Amino acid sequence: MPKVTEEYMRNKKHKIMEAAYAVCLEKTVSTVTMQDIINKTGLSQGGIYRFYKDIDEIFRDLILYLRKKEDLKEKTNEILAQAEERSPKEITRLLFDMLADFMKRELMGIEKIDFELSVLAMNNPARVDKILKNIPEAGNKEYLTIRTMEYFTQQAALGKIHPRVGVEELLSFIAAAYTGIQAECIVSNCYKQERNPFAGLFQPEIQFQTLAKTVNYLIGAE
């Protein structure tokens, strides 16, 4: 029997990840099954279970796959590296422009899956804990949060900003606002809300521009 190479294993797993991603775009994450993945890949049951024992193991690798597919860490570093050249107000605007662009491009892709995983976490936290348990590195939003906290703390120490609330309170507010913007933009994109007079305003660029202005006020940026 021929030896299975690492490259063969990587290619098979990559095929399974592409199939899982496609299925998650077609269905809500909570309803995706191993059979869905089997059908999409065209592999046999044994061909799938050779690599993954259940759907949650696939979701774990899917999260890692999506982080590599769209990595905001380098872009975050590039923006924060301009701290000496740009004002805190400009840095804040650039960070939220980055998030708006990402959400606009991936609203019905990565963002949809991320939002549905959040809903799954609310309904079945133990299951999501199991999925995330073996993911060591920080994701895009976690990394952005850590780096932004460092930046705001540093700028406050230098007297360049004068926060009206604590840094941790501010970041928790931004996280909640992000989730709200994500949810409203996804719902407005999925379901045409002609009767909602604000439906046209639920666009990432509009929402993040307002959030950037709010954050600049809260950090006391000149």
Side-chain angles (χ1 to χ4, degrees):
M1 191 172 180
K3 182 180 179 180
V4 175
T5 65
E6 288 188 13
E7 183 181 4
Y8 173 87
M9 300 281 283
R10 283 196 302 269
N11 289 340
K12 283 296 183 183
K13 282 194 168 186
H14 184 74
K15 182 177 182 179
I16 294 169
M17 286 305 102
E18 288 184 326
Y21 179 62
V23 171
C24 286
L25 298 187
E26 297 166 3
K27 302 178 66 174
T28 57
V29 167
S30 62
T31 64
V32 175
T33 65
M34 287 291 277
Q35 191 60 50
D36 291 325
I37 309 299
I38 291 167
N39 293 342
K40 182 65 72 173
T41 60
L43 297 173
S44 65
Q45 281 195 354
I48 293 287
Y49 282 101
R50 180 179 186 180
F51 299 98
Y52 298 101
K53 67 181 182 182
D54 58 32
I55 191 66
D56 289 342
E57 284 195 352
I58 290 181
F59 284 158
R60 178 201 63 204
D61 275 8
L62 179 62
I63 291 170
L64 294 172
Y65 169 83
L66 295 180
R67 288 180 180 179
K68 291 178 182 177
K69 186 174 186 291
E70 188 66 50
D71 191 347
L72 298 183
K73 296 176 186 178
E74 186 175 341
K75 295 176 184 176
T76 298
N77 290 337
E78 288 175 0
I79 292 171
L80 294 177
Q82 303 174 50
E84 293 185 5
E85 306 162 21
R86 295 180 179 271
S87 68
K89 182 182 288 188
E90 291 175 304
I91 294 292
T92 298
R93 180 182 55 77
L94 289 172
L95 288 171
F96 285 112
D97 283 349
M98 175 186 72
L99 289 174
D101 178 65
F102 169 66
M103 186 175 287
K104 185 176 180 180
R105 284 185 288 106
E106 291 291 342
L107 186 63
M108 298 312 298
I110 293 173
E111 288 288 72
K112 170 188 177 293
I113 295 171
D114 179 71
F115 174 68
E116 290 173 356
L117 282 169
S118 298
V119 174
L120 182 62
M122 288 186 281
N123 294 325
N124 195 337
R127 184 180 172 194
V128 174
D129 284 345
K130 173 191 168 188
I131 294 170
L132 297 177
K133 183 173 64 175
N134 295 317
I135 298 180
E137 70 229 40
N140 284 320
K141 286 189 285 187
E142 293 90 346
Y143 184 80
L144 178 58
T145 299
I146 292 167
R147 295 286 283 115
T148 303
M149 178 180 287
E150 292 171 350
Y151 171 73
F152 284 153
T153 301
Q154 179 190 53
Q155 295 299 298
L158 294 172
K160 293 185 177 181
I161 62 173
H162 307 281
R164 291 177 164 87
V165 297
V167 172
E168 292 184 355
E169 293 174 88
L170 176 62
L171 290 171
S172 66
F173 165 75
I174 293 172
Y178 185 98
T179 301
I181 292 170
Q182 181 188 57
E184 289 293 350
C185 288
I186 288 172
V187 169
S188 294
N189 189 76
C190 287
Y191 308 102
K192 302 303 180 184
Q193 300 181 357
E194 289 83 1
R195 296 184 182 181
N196 183 350
F198 301 110
L201 297 176
F202 289 127
Q203 302 301 324
E205 58 270 31
I206 295 173
Q207 294 295 311
F208 279 109
Q209 284 173 10
T210 302
L211 184 56
K213 292 175 184 177
T214 302
V215 171
N216 274 326
Y217 170 78
L218 291 174
I219 65 174
E222 298 298 331

Short mmCIF file of all heavy atoms in Angstrom, two decimals, residues 74-125:
data_model
loop_
_atom_site.label_atom_id
_atom_site.label_comp_id
_atom_site.label_asym_id
_atom_site.label_seq_id
_atom_site.Cartn_x
_atom_site.Cartn_y
_atom_site.Cartn_z
N GLU A 74 -1.53 41.81 10.09
CA GLU A 74 -0.49 42.61 9.43
C GLU A 74 -0.99 44.01 9.13
O GLU A 74 -0.27 44.99 9.32
CB GLU A 74 -0.05 41.92 8.14
CG GLU A 74 1.12 42.62 7.46
CD GLU A 74 1.63 41.89 6.24
OE1 GLU A 74 1.35 40.68 6.10
OE2 GLU A 74 2.31 42.52 5.42
N LYS A 75 -2.25 44.11 8.70
CA LYS A 75 -2.82 45.42 8.41
C LYS A 75 -2.94 46.25 9.68
O LYS A 75 -2.70 47.47 9.67
CB LYS A 75 -4.19 45.26 7.75
CG LYS A 75 -4.14 44.61 6.38
CD LYS A 75 -5.53 44.39 5.82
CE LYS A 75 -5.48 43.65 4.49
NZ LYS A 75 -6.83 43.34 3.97
N THR A 76 -3.31 45.60 10.79
CA THR A 76 -3.38 46.29 12.08
C THR A 76 -2.02 46.83 12.47
O THR A 76 -1.89 47.99 12.88
CB THR A 76 -3.89 45.33 13.17
OG1 THR A 76 -5.21 44.87 12.84
CG2 THR A 76 -3.91 46.00 14.54
N ASN A 77 -0.99 46.02 12.33
CA ASN A 77 0.38 46.44 12.66
C ASN A 77 0.83 47.60 11.79
O ASN A 77 1.51 48.53 12.27
CB ASN A 77 1.35 45.26 12.52
CG ASN A 77 1.14 44.20 13.59
OD1 ASN A 77 0.60 44.49 14.65
ND2 ASN A 77 1.54 42.98 13.29
N GLU A 78 0.48 47.56 10.51
CA GLU A 78 0.87 48.63 9.60
C GLU A 78 0.25 49.96 10.01
O GLU A 78 0.90 51.00 9.96
CB GLU A 78 0.45 48.28 8.17
CG GLU A 78 1.27 47.18 7.53
CD GLU A 78 0.73 46.77 6.17
OE1 GLU A 78 -0.29 47.36 5.73
OE2 GLU A 78 1.32 45.88 5.53
N ILE A 79 -0.99 49.92 10.43
CA ILE A 79 -1.67 51.15 10.86
C ILE A 79 -1.07 51.67 12.15
O ILE A 79 -0.73 52.86 12.26
CB ILE A 79 -3.19 50.90 11.03
CG1 ILE A 79 -3.83 50.64 9.66
CG2 ILE A 79 -3.86 52.10 11.71
CD1 ILE A 79 -5.27 50.17 9.73
N LEU A 80 -0.88 50.80 13.14
CA LEU A 80 -0.36 51.24 14.43
C LEU A 80 1.11 51.64 14.36
O LEU A 80 1.59 52.41 15.20
CB LEU A 80 -0.56 50.14 15.47
CG LEU A 80 -2.03 49.83 15.81
CD1 LEU A 80 -2.13 48.67 16.79
CD2 LEU A 80 -2.74 51.06 16.37
N ALA A 81 1.81 51.17 13.33
CA ALA A 81 3.21 51.58 13.14
C ALA A 81 3.31 53.05 12.74
O ALA A 81 4.39 53.64 12.80
CB ALA A 81 3.86 50.71 12.07
N GLN A 82 2.19 53.66 12.36
CA GLN A 82 2.17 55.07 11.96
C GLN A 82 1.85 56.00 13.14
O GLN A 82 1.56 57.18 12.94
CB GLN A 82 1.13 55.29 10.85
CG GLN A 82 1.33 54.42 9.62
CD GLN A 82 0.20 54.58 8.62
OE1 GLN A 82 -0.17 55.70 8.25
NE2 GLN A 82 -0.35 53.46 8.19
N ALA A 83 1.92 55.46 14.35
CA ALA A 83 1.51 56.22 15.54
C ALA A 83 2.28 57.53 15.71
O ALA A 83 1.73 58.52 16.22
CB ALA A 83 1.67 55.35 16.79
N GLU A 84 3.55 57.55 15.31
CA GLU A 84 4.34 58.78 15.49
C GLU A 84 4.05 59.79 14.38
O GLU A 84 4.29 60.99 14.57
CB GLU A 84 5.83 58.44 15.52
CG GLU A 84 6.24 57.63 16.74
CD GLU A 84 7.74 57.42 16.80
OE1 GLU A 84 8.46 57.99 15.95
OE2 GLU A 84 8.20 56.69 17.71
N GLU A 85 3.54 59.32 13.25
CA GLU A 85 3.31 60.21 12.11
C GLU A 85 1.89 60.75 12.09
O GLU A 85 1.65 61.84 11.55
CB GLU A 85 3.57 59.45 10.80
CG GLU A 85 4.94 58.80 10.72
CD GLU A 85 4.98 57.73 9.64
OE1 GLU A 85 4.13 57.78 8.72
OE2 GLU A 85 5.85 56.85 9.72
N ARG A 86 0.96 60.00 12.64
CA ARG A 86 -0.45 60.37 12.56
C ARG A 86 -1.04 60.61 13.95
O ARG A 86 -0.57 60.04 14.94
CB ARG A 86 -1.27 59.28 11.85
CG ARG A 86 -0.90 59.10 10.38
CD ARG A 86 -1.74 58.00 9.77
NE ARG A 86 -1.46 57.77 8.36
CZ ARG A 86 -2.07 58.41 7.36
NH1 ARG A 86 -3.00 59.30 7.63
NH2 ARG A 86 -1.76 58.15 6.10
N SER A 87 -2.09 61.39 13.99
CA SER A 87 -2.75 61.68 15.26
C SER A 87 -3.61 60.49 15.68
O SER A 87 -3.98 59.66 14.84
CB SER A 87 -3.65 62.91 15.11
OG SER A 87 -4.75 62.61 14.25
N PRO A 88 -3.94 60.37 16.97
CA PRO A 88 -4.83 59.30 17.42
C PRO A 88 -6.16 59.28 16.66
O PRO A 88 -6.70 58.21 16.38
CB PRO A 88 -5.02 59.61 18.90
CG PRO A 88 -3.75 60.29 19.31
CD PRO A 88 -3.40 61.14 18.12
N LYS A 89 -6.66 60.47 16.33
CA LYS A 89 -7.92 60.54 15.58
C LYS A 89 -7.77 59.87 14.22
O LYS A 89 -8.66 59.12 13.78
CB LYS A 89 -8.33 62.00 15.39
CG LYS A 89 -9.67 62.16 14.65
CD LYS A 89 -10.02 63.63 14.44
CE LYS A 89 -10.44 64.28 15.73
NZ LYS A 89 -10.97 65.65 15.53
N GLU A 90 -6.66 60.08 13.56
CA GLU A 90 -6.42 59.47 12.25
C GLU A 90 -6.22 57.97 12.37
O GLU A 90 -6.73 57.19 11.54
CB GLU A 90 -5.20 60.10 11.59
CG GLU A 90 -5.39 61.55 11.15
CD GLU A 90 -4.10 62.14 10.60
OE1 GLU A 90 -3.07 62.12 11.33
OE2 GLU A 90 -4.12 62.62 9.45
N ILE A 91 -5.48 57.55 13.39
CA ILE A 91 -5.26 56.12 13.60
C ILE A 91 -6.58 55.40 13.84
O ILE A 91 -6.85 54.33 13.26
CB ILE A 91 -4.31 55.86 14.79
CG1 ILE A 91 -2.90 56.39 14.49
CG2 ILE A 91 -4.27 54.38 15.15
CD1 ILE A 91 -2.16 55.64 13.41
N THR A 92 -7.42 55.98 14.67
CA THR A 92 -8.74 55.40 14.94
C THR A 92 -9.54 55.27 13.65
O THR A 92 -10.14 54.22 13.37
CB THR A 92 -9.52 56.26 15.95
OG1 THR A 92 -8.81 56.30 17.17
CG2 THR A 92 -10.91 55.68 16.21
N ARG A 93 -9.53 56.31 12.84
CA ARG A 93 -10.28 56.28 11.58
C ARG A 93 -9.75 55.18 10.66
O ARG A 93 -10.53 54.45 10.05
CB ARG A 93 -10.19 57.64 10.88
CG ARG A 93 -10.94 57.68 9.54
CD ARG A 93 -10.79 59.03 8.88
NE ARG A 93 -9.39 59.40 8.69
CZ ARG A 93 -8.61 58.90 7.73
NH1 ARG A 93 -9.09 58.01 6.88
NH2 ARG A 93 -7.37 59.30 7.61
N LEU A 94 -8.43 55.04 10.58
CA LEU A 94 -7.83 54.01 9.72
C LEU A 94 -8.20 52.60 10.18
O LEU A 94 -8.48 51.72 9.36
CB LEU A 94 -6.31 54.17 9.68
CG LEU A 94 -5.77 55.38 8.91
CD1 LEU A 94 -4.27 55.52 9.14
CD2 LEU A 94 -6.08 55.26 7.43
N LEU A 95 -8.20 52.39 11.50
CA LEU A 95 -8.56 51.08 12.03
C LEU A 95 -10.01 50.72 11.69
O LEU A 95 -10.30 49.58 11.27
CB LEU A 95 -8.36 51.04 13.54
CG LEU A 95 -6.91 51.02 14.04
CD1 LEU A 95 -6.86 51.20 15.56
CD2 LEU A 95 -6.20 49.73 13.64
N PHE A 96 -10.90 51.69 11.85
CA PHE A 96 -12.31 51.40 11.55
C PHE A 96 -12.57 51.34 10.06
O PHE A 96 -13.48 50.61 9.62
CB PHE A 96 -13.22 52.40 12.25
CG PHE A 96 -13.35 52.14 13.73
CD1 PHE A 96 -12.81 53.01 14.65
CD2 PHE A 96 -13.97 50.99 14.19
CE1 PHE A 96 -12.90 52.75 16.02
CE2 PHE A 96 -14.07 50.72 15.54
CZ PHE A 96 -13.53 51.60 16.46
N ASP A 97 -11.81 52.07 9.25
CA ASP A 97 -11.92 51.92 7.79
C ASP A 97 -11.52 50.50 7.39
O ASP A 97 -12.13 49.90 6.50
CB ASP A 97 -11.00 52.93 7.08
CG ASP A 97 -11.58 54.35 7.06
OD1 ASP A 97 -12.76 54.51 7.42
OD2 ASP A 97 -10.83 55.28 6.70
N MET A 98 -10.47 49.97 8.04
CA MET A 98 -10.03 48.61 7.77
C MET A 98 -11.15 47.61 8.09
O MET A 98 -11.44 46.70 7.30
CB MET A 98 -8.78 48.29 8.60
CG MET A 98 -8.32 46.84 8.50
SD MET A 98 -6.95 46.45 9.64
CE MET A 98 -7.84 46.45 11.22
N LEU A 99 -11.79 47.79 9.25
CA LEU A 99 -12.87 46.90 9.65
C LEU A 99 -14.07 47.02 8.72
O LEU A 99 -14.72 46.02 8.39
CB LEU A 99 -13.29 47.18 11.09
CG LEU A 99 -12.29 46.78 12.17
CD1 LEU A 99 -12.75 47.24 13.54
CD2 LEU A 99 -12.06 45.27 12.17
N ALA A 100 -14.38 48.24 8.30
CA ALA A 100 -15.51 48.45 7.39
C ALA A 100 -15.26 47.77 6.05
O ALA A 100 -16.16 47.12 5.49
CB ALA A 100 -15.74 49.95 7.17
N ASP A 101 -14.03 47.90 5.55
CA ASP A 101 -13.68 47.26 4.28
C ASP A 101 -13.77 45.74 4.39
O ASP A 101 -14.30 45.06 3.51
CB ASP A 101 -12.27 47.68 3.86
CG ASP A 101 -11.82 47.02 2.57
OD1 ASP A 101 -12.44 47.31 1.52
OD2 ASP A 101 -10.87 46.23 2.60
N PHE A 102 -13.26 45.21 5.51
CA PHE A 102 -13.31 43.76 5.74
C PHE A 102 -14.74 43.27 5.80
O PHE A 102 -15.11 42.29 5.15
CB PHE A 102 -12.57 43.43 7.03
CG PHE A 102 -12.76 42.02 7.49
CD1 PHE A 102 -12.27 40.95 6.76
CD2 PHE A 102 -13.44 41.74 8.68
CE1 PHE A 102 -12.44 39.64 7.19
CE2 PHE A 102 -13.62 40.45 9.11
CZ PHE A 102 -13.12 39.39 8.36
N MET A 103 -15.59 43.98 6.57
CA MET A 103 -16.97 43.54 6.72
C MET A 103 -17.73 43.65 5.40
O MET A 103 -18.54 42.78 5.07
CB MET A 103 -17.68 44.35 7.81
CG MET A 103 -19.09 43.84 8.11
SD MET A 103 -19.93 44.68 9.47
CE MET A 103 -19.04 44.03 10.89
N LYS A 104 -17.45 44.69 4.64
CA LYS A 104 -18.13 44.86 3.36
C LYS A 104 -17.79 43.71 2.41
O LYS A 104 -18.67 43.16 1.74
CB LYS A 104 -17.73 46.20 2.73
CG LYS A 104 -18.47 46.53 1.44
CD LYS A 104 -18.07 47.90 0.94
CE LYS A 104 -18.81 48.25 -0.35
NZ LYS A 104 -18.43 49.59 -0.85
N ARG A 105 -16.50 43.33 2.36
CA ARG A 105 -16.07 42.26 1.46
C ARG A 105 -16.54 40.89 1.92
O ARG A 105 -16.83 40.02 1.10
CB ARG A 105 -14.54 42.26 1.36
CG ARG A 105 -13.97 43.36 0.49
CD ARG A 105 -12.47 43.23 0.33
NE ARG A 105 -11.74 43.58 1.55
CZ ARG A 105 -11.17 42.72 2.35
NH1 ARG A 105 -11.22 41.43 2.09
NH2 ARG A 105 -10.52 43.13 3.44
N GLU A 106 -16.59 40.70 3.24
CA GLU A 106 -16.86 39.36 3.78
C GLU A 106 -18.19 39.27 4.52
O GLU A 106 -18.39 38.36 5.32
CB GLU A 106 -15.72 38.95 4.73
CG GLU A 106 -14.40 38.70 4.03
CD GLU A 106 -14.43 37.46 3.15
OE1 GLU A 106 -15.32 36.60 3.34
OE2 GLU A 106 -13.56 37.34 2.27
N LEU A 107 -19.11 40.22 4.23
CA LEU A 107 -20.35 40.26 4.99
C LEU A 107 -21.11 38.94 4.93
O LEU A 107 -21.57 38.43 5.95
CB LEU A 107 -21.25 41.39 4.47
CG LEU A 107 -22.53 41.63 5.28
CD1 LEU A 107 -22.19 42.06 6.71
CD2 LEU A 107 -23.40 42.69 4.62
N MET A 108 -21.22 38.37 3.73
CA MET A 108 -21.94 37.11 3.60
C MET A 108 -20.98 35.92 3.48
O MET A 108 -21.34 34.86 3.00
CB MET A 108 -22.89 37.18 2.40
CG MET A 108 -23.95 38.26 2.54
SD MET A 108 -24.79 38.24 4.16
CE MET A 108 -25.57 36.64 4.15
N GLY A 109 -19.74 36.12 3.91
CA GLY A 109 -18.75 35.05 3.91
C GLY A 109 -18.25 34.81 5.32
O GLY A 109 -18.95 34.26 6.16
N ILE A 110 -17.03 35.28 5.60
CA ILE A 110 -16.43 35.08 6.92
C ILE A 110 -17.28 35.70 8.02
O ILE A 110 -17.47 35.10 9.09
CB ILE A 110 -15.01 35.67 6.95
CG1 ILE A 110 -14.09 34.86 6.02
CG2 ILE A 110 -14.44 35.67 8.37
CD1 ILE A 110 -12.71 35.45 5.86
N GLU A 111 -17.82 36.90 7.78
CA GLU A 111 -18.61 37.57 8.82
C GLU A 111 -19.89 36.80 9.14
O GLU A 111 -20.30 36.73 10.30
CB GLU A 111 -18.94 39.00 8.38
CG GLU A 111 -17.75 39.93 8.40
CD GLU A 111 -17.33 40.30 9.82
OE1 GLU A 111 -16.77 39.44 10.52
OE2 GLU A 111 -17.58 41.43 10.23
N LYS A 112 -20.53 36.26 8.12
CA LYS A 112 -21.74 35.46 8.35
C LYS A 112 -21.41 34.26 9.24
O LYS A 112 -22.13 33.98 10.20
CB LYS A 112 -22.31 34.98 7.01
CG LYS A 112 -23.44 33.95 7.15
CD LYS A 112 -23.81 33.37 5.81
CE LYS A 112 -24.88 32.29 5.94
NZ LYS A 112 -24.42 31.08 6.64
N ILE A 113 -20.34 33.56 8.92
CA ILE A 113 -19.96 32.38 9.69
C ILE A 113 -19.58 32.77 11.12
O ILE A 113 -19.97 32.11 12.08
CB ILE A 113 -18.81 31.63 8.99
CG1 ILE A 113 -19.29 31.08 7.65
CG2 ILE A 113 -18.27 30.50 9.87
CD1 ILE A 113 -18.20 30.52 6.77
N ASP A 114 -18.83 33.86 11.26
CA ASP A 114 -18.43 34.33 12.58
C ASP A 114 -19.65 34.69 13.43
O ASP A 114 -19.73 34.34 14.61
CB ASP A 114 -17.52 35.55 12.43
CG ASP A 114 -17.08 36.12 13.77
OD1 ASP A 114 -16.26 35.47 14.45
OD2 ASP A 114 -17.55 37.21 14.15
N PHE A 115 -20.61 35.37 12.83
CA PHE A 115 -21.83 35.76 13.54
C PHE A 115 -22.61 34.52 13.98
O PHE A 115 -23.08 34.44 15.11
CB PHE A 115 -22.69 36.64 12.65
CG PHE A 115 -24.03 36.97 13.24
CD1 PHE A 115 -24.13 37.79 14.36
CD2 PHE A 115 -25.20 36.47 12.68
CE1 PHE A 115 -25.37 38.10 14.92
CE2 PHE A 115 -26.43 36.76 13.23
CZ PHE A 115 -26.52 37.58 14.35
N GLU A 116 -22.72 33.53 13.08
CA GLU A 116 -23.47 32.34 13.42
C GLU A 116 -22.77 31.49 14.47
O GLU A 116 -23.42 30.82 15.28
CB GLU A 116 -23.74 31.53 12.15
CG GLU A 116 -24.75 32.22 11.25
CD GLU A 116 -24.93 31.54 9.90
OE1 GLU A 116 -24.22 30.56 9.62
OE2 GLU A 116 -25.80 32.00 9.13
N LEU A 117 -21.44 31.53 14.50
CA LEU A 117 -20.71 30.87 15.58
C LEU A 117 -20.98 31.56 16.91
O LEU A 117 -21.06 30.90 17.96
CB LEU A 117 -19.21 30.86 15.28
CG LEU A 117 -18.73 29.81 14.26
CD1 LEU A 117 -17.29 30.10 13.86
CD2 LEU A 117 -18.85 28.40 14.83
N SER A 118 -21.13 32.89 16.88
CA SER A 118 -21.46 33.64 18.10
C SER A 118 -22.84 33.25 18.62
O SER A 118 -23.04 33.08 19.82
CB SER A 118 -21.43 35.15 17.83
OG SER A 118 -20.15 35.56 17.44
N VAL A 119 -23.79 33.09 17.70
CA VAL A 119 -25.13 32.65 18.08
C VAL A 119 -25.08 31.24 18.65
O VAL A 119 -25.72 30.93 19.67
CB VAL A 119 -26.08 32.70 16.86
CG1 VAL A 119 -27.44 32.11 17.23
CG2 VAL A 119 -26.25 34.14 16.36
N LEU A 120 -24.28 30.38 18.03
CA LEU A 120 -24.10 29.01 18.54
C LEU A 120 -23.51 29.03 19.94
O LEU A 120 -23.91 28.24 20.81
CB LEU A 120 -23.19 28.22 17.59
CG LEU A 120 -22.95 26.75 17.94
CD1 LEU A 120 -24.26 25.96 17.93
CD2 LEU A 120 -21.95 26.13 16.98
N ALA A 121 -22.58 29.96 20.18
CA ALA A 121 -21.96 30.08 21.50
C ALA A 121 -22.98 30.47 22.56
O ALA A 121 -22.90 30.02 23.71
CB ALA A 121 -20.83 31.10 21.46
N MET A 122 -23.94 31.30 22.18
CA MET A 122 -24.99 31.70 23.13
C MET A 122 -25.92 30.53 23.44
O MET A 122 -26.36 30.36 24.57
CB MET A 122 -25.80 32.88 22.56
CG MET A 122 -25.05 34.20 22.55
SD MET A 122 -26.08 35.59 22.03
CE MET A 122 -26.07 35.37 20.25
N ASN A 123 -26.21 29.73 22.43
CA ASN A 123 -27.15 28.63 22.60
C ASN A 123 -26.50 27.36 23.15
O ASN A 123 -27.16 26.56 23.81
CB ASN A 123 -27.83 28.31 21.26
CG ASN A 123 -28.72 29.43 20.78
OD1 ASN A 123 -29.34 30.10 21.58
ND2 ASN A 123 -28.76 29.65 19.48
N ASN A 124 -25.21 27.19 22.86
CA ASN A 124 -24.52 25.96 23.28
C ASN A 124 -23.06 26.29 23.61
O ASN A 124 -22.15 25.90 22.88
CB ASN A 124 -24.60 24.91 22.16
CG ASN A 124 -24.25 23.52 22.64
OD1 ASN A 124 -23.57 23.36 23.66
ND2 ASN A 124 -24.69 22.51 21.92
N PRO A 125 -22.84 27.00 24.71
CA PRO A 125 -21.48 27.44 25.05
C PRO A 125 -20.48 26.30 25.23
O PRO A 125 -19.32 26.43 24.88
CB PRO A 125 -21.67 28.22 26.35
CG PRO A 125 -22.99 27.79 26.90
CD PRO A 125 -23.83 27.47 25.70
#
